[in-house]
Amino acid sequence: MARTQWSRLAGAAAAAILTISAPTACSAANSIQRATDSANPWQITGATTSTGPSGPREGVPDSARQATNGDGGETDRLALNAVADIEEFWAENYSATFPGKFRPVSELVSWDGNAAERDSVEFCGMSTHELVNAAYCGTDETIGWDRGVLLPELVEQFGEMAVVMVLAHEYGHALQITAGIATEDSPGLVTEQQADCLAGVFLRHVAEGDSRHFALNTTEGLNGVLGATVAVRDRDPGDPDNVHGTAFERVTAVQMGYTDGAAACAGIDEQEIEARRAGLPVTFEEPGEEYLQLEITEDSLRDMAAALADILPVAGSPDYNYDGVPARCSDAASTVPVAYCPVTDVVGTDVDALAEWAGETGTEDEPLSAIVTGDYNAFVVFVSRYTLAYQNHRQLSLTGADSAGLRTACLSGVVTTALSRENSNPRLSAGDLDEAVSGLLADGLAASDVNGEVVPEGYLRLDAFRLGVLEGESACLAVYA
């Protein structure tokens, strides 16, 4: 773009995966953590948090469920235990929302994507030779998975709960037709986000401790599930071949099911998705735009500061220092790479450090990567520190991760929507929301209070940001009073 739009990186991640969903990871967490010190939660496995473990429960016997062509190995046992728990949940809860009784899928099929062609089997009328996928087949009501490539890669990247989320998503597809919330003619974007939502319903069941074989904490565990949802997103949602939705849309759908239950999933249709998009950019407007980035310089930050003054005006705008963060501030800690000092009313920025915050740009994302690098990953941090100045001018408290921090994330969402308007300069473009979502999960600085304190629950940070994007300033001030 010139100075009127920016975009994130495009990528080919998981191009062969037709219907895949989120995963998890686990690590230690305090009730409040410093944003600048937190690790990427979806890349940490093998530990627990103060709120409990995430992953397979120890000492629980494996399910008796079987898969055609299964090998009885660890990966298949993981998948079969997941399916057993998913089926147990829906057998008990299906009729509370949907007509009739729950009907399990007719068959489960396992294959090895690395196997020789002569050793492959058929799934949904096609050979599984080199088929790296997990999917539901509506033709014969079966669910299948690749135990040789896909599932082990998901476990390696995100942990065992990745497989649980994938299969909860696929089972969501199995429920749609019988539940009457989709038809064979429903758009792919609708059915995929319904499946994400239904997976979110099951995740809540796991998080509440009611799953026989699995546990999920609501800090790093759920952060990881949502982070992996980011990994499998449509790079250009305007492309008719892309049907999953952006990371922002997929995370929103999962959260809808998690917080509001199965009835919210039944309400997802084309009109609901269009309303949720709220005029936000969902396609790249020019060839190669996905690789264009607005360079983070003092000039581009001055342009952003001018836009912020129009979007969230205050009487007497804060001063800006582009030579670094404040070395001393008597009433706040300095957060790198951008900090706000209330007593002096100055937003200080280390421009070079903020440019590094954006990550390496101009190349494709890594396959199955939850890290969405790009300019808005950095700009949203700058935006968030301005919103602290805005709150200060309104005489609102600037401390407290669960109050000021979430209000900051929410107001950053308000600005994000305003930057998508046609006459905005700079102007948001497709993918920038995903950069913000990735950053909110990875480090959360855009959701921190003036001292850099951030709630450890990534879903709360995302929910605050989403509220600002979709419902505006008044909602932010009311919810996070």
Side-chain angles (χ1 to χ4, degrees):
M1 84 173 210
R3 289 192 109 50
T4 54
Q5 49 181 236
W6 56 63
S7 66
R8 66 166 171 82
L9 304 177
I17 303 172
L18 301 182
T19 50
I20 192 175
S21 212
T24 185
C26 353
S27 74
N30 301 317
S31 59
I32 299 292
Q33 61 190 18
R34 284 300 297 274
T36 51
D37 294 334
S38 65
N40 292 331
W42 49 79
Q43 294 181 340
I44 302 173
T45 59
T48 62
T49 73
S50 59
T51 54
S54 278
R57 295 184 184 275
E58 295 183 2
V60 179
D62 290 329
S63 163
R65 204 72 162 87
Q66 296 293 313
T68 299
N69 194 50
D71 67 354
E74 182 179 358
T75 300
D76 269 350
R77 291 198 302 273
L78 174 65
L80 290 167
N81 286 337
V83 169
D85 283 15
I86 293 164
E87 291 180 333
E88 183 176 19
F89 170 77
W90 286 115
E92 294 175 358
N93 294 279
Y94 178 90
S95 297
T97 304
F98 304 122
K101 293 184 177 181
F102 168 72
R103 187 175 73 228
V105 296
S106 64
E107 185 182 16
L108 304 173
V109 182
S110 170
W111 67 85
D112 184 347
N114 281 321
E117 187 170 5
R118 65 177 179 275
D119 297 324
S120 65
V121 296
E122 278 202 355
F123 171 71
C124 207
M126 69 179 73
S127 170
T128 57
H129 177 57
E130 297 182 347
L131 179 61
V132 180
N133 198 4
Y136 167 72
C137 178
T139 304
D140 54 11
E141 298 184 351
T142 59
I143 288 177
W145 59 82
D146 165 29
R147 68 173 182 270
V149 181
L150 174 61
L151 266 55
E153 178 69 15
L154 288 169
V155 171
E156 180 179 350
Q157 291 285 336
F158 307 111
E160 292 95 340
M161 287 300 292
V163 174
V164 178
M165 180 61 189
V166 166
L167 294 172
H169 172 100
E170 298 311 331
Y171 227 109
H173 286 302
L175 298 172
Q176 290 167 322
I177 302 299
T178 56
I181 63 175
T183 70
E184 293 180 359
D185 296 324
S186 294
L189 183 63
V190 171
T191 60
E192 291 299 330
Q193 292 198 28
Q194 285 179 353
D196 282 338
C197 182
L198 291 166
V201 178
F202 176 70
L203 282 179
R204 178 64 174 265
H205 169 75
V206 181
E208 290 178 342
D210 296 325
S211 174
R212 185 182 304 273
H213 291 95
F214 300 96
L216 178 69
N217 67 54
T218 56
T219 51
E220 268 67 14
L222 189 53
N223 290 0
V225 167
L226 296 176
T229 307
V230 175
V232 187
R233 64 193 181 278
D234 289 341
R235 270 49 179 181
D236 182 358
D239 185 335
D241 292 331
N242 290 332
V243 296
H244 287 88
T246 66
F248 179 77
E249 291 171 336
R250 296 204 69 193
V251 166
T252 294
V254 172
Q255 285 185 301
M256 288 169 65
Y258 185 91
T259 59
D260 300 327
C265 310
I268 295 177
D269 55 22
E270 288 183 277
Q271 291 73 30
E272 188 278 332
I273 293 173
E274 186 60 33
R276 200 172 354 123
R277 285 179 164 178
L280 297 167
V282 292
T283 189
F284 297 114
E285 297 176 355
E286 302 174 6
E289 183 189 333
E290 64 268 33
Y291 298 105
L292 299 176
Q293 299 288 323
L294 179 59
E295 187 178 359
I296 295 164
T297 64
E298 182 174 335
D299 286 344
S300 63
L301 291 172
R302 288 184 185 277
D303 286 345
M304 178 62 78
L308 289 168
D310 289 335
I311 296 167
L312 292 176
V314 295
S317 295
D319 292 328
Y320 292 89
N321 179 358
Y322 299 102
D323 295 326
V325 299
R328 292 183 179 84
C329 180
S330 62
D331 57 351
S334 289
T335 56
V336 178
V338 190
Y340 173 63
C341 181
V343 70
T344 60
D345 199 23
V346 172
V347 176
T349 305
D350 183 332
V351 178
D352 290 340
L354 186 60
E356 291 181 8
W357 199 272
E360 184 179 355
T361 60
T363 57
E364 291 188 346
D365 294 341
E366 291 295 320
L368 285 180
S369 172
I371 308 301
V372 189
T373 57
D375 43 22
Y376 201 62
N377 190 27
F379 277 111
V380 74
V381 175
F382 182 83
V383 166
S384 74
R385 299 308 90 179
Y386 174 85
T387 70
L388 285 167
Y390 173 78
Q391 294 171 68
N392 191 37
H393 281 257
R394 293 183 64 106
Q395 299 183 329
L396 298 171
S397 172
L398 303 184
T399 59
D402 58 355
S403 53
L406 294 179
R407 191 190 310 121
T408 295
C410 190
L411 291 170
S412 298
V414 173
V415 171
T416 298
T417 296
L419 289 171
S420 67
R421 296 169 185 158
E422 188 173 353
N423 60 350
S424 176
N425 182 27
R427 185 186 174 199
L428 209 70
S429 72
D432 289 325
L433 273 172
D434 289 0
E435 293 168 9
V437 166
S438 177
L440 284 163
L441 282 169
D443 55 74
L445 183 56
S448 67
D449 71 1
V450 73
N451 294 312
E453 302 292 338
V454 59
V455 296
E457 297 93 346
Y459 78 95
L460 290 179
R461 305 195 294 260
L462 290 177
D463 204 43
F465 180 75
R466 182 182 68 172
L467 181 69
V469 168
L470 299 179
E471 298 190 30
E473 177 188 1
S474 60
C476 297
L477 300 179
V479 173
Y480 304 107

